[in-house]
Amino acid sequence: MQRSPGLDLRPFRGLRYAPSRVRSLAAVTSPPYDVVVRPDGLHHLETADPYNIVRLILPQDGDPATRHRLAADTLHRWRVEGVLVPDPRPALYVYEQRRGDLLQRGVVGLLALSEPADGVVLPHEDVMEEIVADRAGLMRETAANPEPLLLSYRSDGAATGTAAVVARATARTPLLATTTDDGFAHRLWAVTDQEEIAAVRADLARRQALIADGHHRWATYLRLRAERPAPPGETGPWDYGLVLLVDTARHPLVVRGIHRVLRTLPTAEALRLVGDAARVRRLDAPLPAALRELEGTEGNAFLLAGEDGLHLVDRPDQDLLARTVRTDRPAAWRTLDATVLHATLIEHVWRLPDDPEHIGYVHEAAAAAAQAARLGGTAVLMKPVAEDVVRELARDGVTMPRKSTSFGPKPATGLVLRALDLG
């Protein structure tokens, strides 16, 4: 795979909430658009404050074009009213999240877009076309990147370059500080000194990044760049996208599985169809204990949750795997839980289409189980994948089944936005 020079991160004039115009910064933030999963999640955020960012990232209307126009009108109105105001100077932003012993720090900026074949930004999951189309419509209409992607890179661990700039920034008074409902404390600093910006850019120019969270938004950035190419020899605003870069040599990410909700398949029917295709054991234990048993189970294993309780499904039939899992991929891909789940169980055993009508993707196990029980369906709870496995496959140019991993902590949406007209 051909390598281009490395990450090209640029400062920008962030668009941020004016504290005097909102009840609190915590009240206007949101998780990323695809993590608002609890049944009342959207309503809770919309009613937390009339200026909650969810009104931009998830506007409500049955018609996509109307939704996107609504978001654009909302963004314009909030800027005119002084609810969202641009920072005076371009900056790179140091962002910190802390909860208990967990500390994550990274740098927010505009990253030059690159194709996977360039080997600079590595995707590791496939994407769903309908989600990319929706995000593209939203960003096209608003001319904004409303929330940063989470990208990880790995330095040599030295306290130089980006690490030194981050350390100096976090010793200063932050631009903002707030604590959200999930218990995370968030702080943000602006780095405007040209020497410090140059030090970060020179350091990152030697790095390669993995998309930890935001594959659909990265695919959206690439689509919009293709639609609006800059003149030859020049770069334009659509050549860059808003990202958060975290050095996992200093701040390892937490990796969790993303769970599936089989909306139309009752648990009893799912278990009946499994038959001899795998071993099935009922677990008479609370969900946290059952999840610990799942994570301690070697090989491919899944926890099914629904109206009929909790069942551990493991030891899939090897002959069945040989017939259903494609063989033109590396062994690390063929043995992924997500690969086996989709190729063997969902497609062959349960014969379900992989579309939003039949399968939902939920980040929290308890929320997935509750949703399945409410729908009379089945939640398939997943084990996490080791980050090294993800990175190895990405470097080999092999994408995992979509929604295979959930890296975190994810950046809160609403602390800093990018409007393309600000340069």
Side-chain angles (χ1 to χ4, degrees):
M1 183 179 293
Q2 184 179 1
R3 288 290 308 278
S4 62
L7 302 169
D8 178 7
L9 192 70
R10 303 290 178 95
F12 70 108
R13 291 179 66 197
L15 192 63
R16 298 190 295 112
Y17 280 99
S20 62
R21 296 301 311 275
V22 298
R23 182 165 61 84
S24 72
L25 287 174
V28 295
T29 62
S30 164
Y33 77 96
D34 58 342
V35 189
V36 183
V37 295
R38 59 185 181 181
D40 66 336
L42 186 61
H43 175 73
H44 169 79
L45 292 167
E46 285 184 327
T47 57
D49 189 281
Y51 298 117
N52 189 282
I53 194 68
V54 79
R55 297 176 186 272
L56 290 183
I57 62 172
L58 287 174
Q60 295 303 291
D61 192 275
D63 175 61
T66 303
R67 285 200 305 271
H68 304 149
R69 185 67 251 165
L70 180 62
D73 291 344
T74 299
L75 177 59
H76 175 73
R77 184 175 70 255
W78 288 358
R79 292 181 67 178
V80 169
E81 293 174 354
V83 175
L84 288 171
V85 295
D87 283 332
R89 290 191 290 168
L92 295 177
Y93 295 86
V94 172
Y95 176 47
E96 175 188 279
Q97 294 165 276
R98 185 191 295 267
R99 185 173 66 183
D101 295 332
L102 178 59
L103 172 66
Q104 178 171 289
R105 288 172 172 165
V107 180
V108 178
L110 300 187
L111 186 64
L113 305 183
S114 60
E115 298 292 340
D118 296 331
V120 177
V121 176
L122 304 177
H124 68 268
E125 289 184 355
D126 296 329
V127 297
M128 291 177 268
E129 165 58 28
E130 60 269 22
I131 297 178
V132 175
D134 179 70
R135 292 296 97 185
L138 183 85
M139 292 189 208
R140 188 186 299 116
E141 196 70 28
T142 59
N145 299 155
E147 47 187 342
L149 285 66
L150 175 60
L151 273 61
S152 72
Y153 70 97
R154 189 167 292 169
S155 72
D156 57 10
T160 58
T162 304
V165 172
V166 168
R168 287 194 294 271
T170 54
R172 302 193 291 261
T173 302
L175 283 177
L176 63 84
T178 190
T179 301
T180 46
D181 289 346
D182 57 7
F184 272 100
H186 307 263
R187 296 197 294 171
L188 191 76
W189 296 262
V191 176
T192 57
D193 180 86
Q194 293 304 307
E195 290 186 2
E196 290 194 325
I197 290 173
V200 172
R201 296 193 64 214
D203 180 32
L204 294 177
R206 302 180 290 121
R207 312 295 182 194
Q208 177 188 57
L210 176 74
I211 300 177
D213 185 69
H215 284 81
H216 289 91
R217 282 167 283 166
W218 184 259
T220 298
Y221 289 167
L222 294 177
R223 175 173 298 188
L224 293 173
R225 181 185 67 168
E227 290 178 2
R228 292 164 166 76
E234 300 180 21
T235 59
W238 298 98
D239 291 322
Y240 298 86
L242 185 63
V243 304
L244 165 65
L245 280 161
V246 173
D247 178 5
T248 55
R250 305 183 71 84
H251 301 287
L253 297 178
V254 177
V255 189
R256 296 187 175 92
I258 299 180
H259 313 293
R260 276 65 170 157
V261 176
L262 313 181
R263 304 178 189 275
T264 60
L265 183 65
T267 312
E269 179 66 5
L271 294 169
R272 185 190 70 79
L273 290 171
V274 169
D276 295 331
R279 183 176 70 167
V280 177
R281 289 179 286 155
R282 183 181 182 90
L283 299 182
D284 294 315
L287 181 60
L291 287 169
R292 287 194 295 271
E293 182 157 353
L294 169 67
E295 293 191 13
T297 302
E298 294 185 3
N300 298 123
F302 314 93
L303 184 64
L304 271 55
E307 291 180 327
D308 287 359
L310 301 172
H311 294 79
L312 185 66
V313 176
D314 68 347
R315 298 184 185 178
D317 179 81
Q318 294 301 304
D319 290 338
L320 179 60
L321 293 180
R323 296 198 308 272
T324 55
V325 176
R326 56 191 293 182
T327 59
D328 61 342
R329 297 290 182 91
W333 183 91
R334 297 196 305 271
T335 55
L336 288 169
D337 284 337
T339 298
V340 171
L341 172 63
H342 283 265
T344 303
L345 292 177
I346 289 177
E347 294 181 20
H348 180 81
V349 173
W350 294 324
R351 298 186 181 278
L352 289 174
D354 190 357
D355 59 38
E357 180 181 349
H358 294 86
I359 302 176
Y361 294 84
V362 180
H363 288 75
E364 298 294 334
Q371 188 179 117
R374 189 174 67 256
L375 296 173
T378 301
V380 182
L381 307 182
M382 309 283 288
K383 294 187 290 184
V385 182
E387 182 181 353
D388 287 345
V389 172
V390 177
R391 195 175 294 275
E392 174 192 343
L393 287 170
R395 283 177 174 160
D396 288 341
V398 178
T399 55
M400 300 166 65
R402 55 181 176 257
K403 300 294 185 182
S404 293
T405 59
S406 176
F407 284 85
K410 305 178 191 303
T413 299
L415 297 180
V416 61
L417 294 70
R418 180 222 182 176
L420 273 71
D421 68 322
L422 295 174

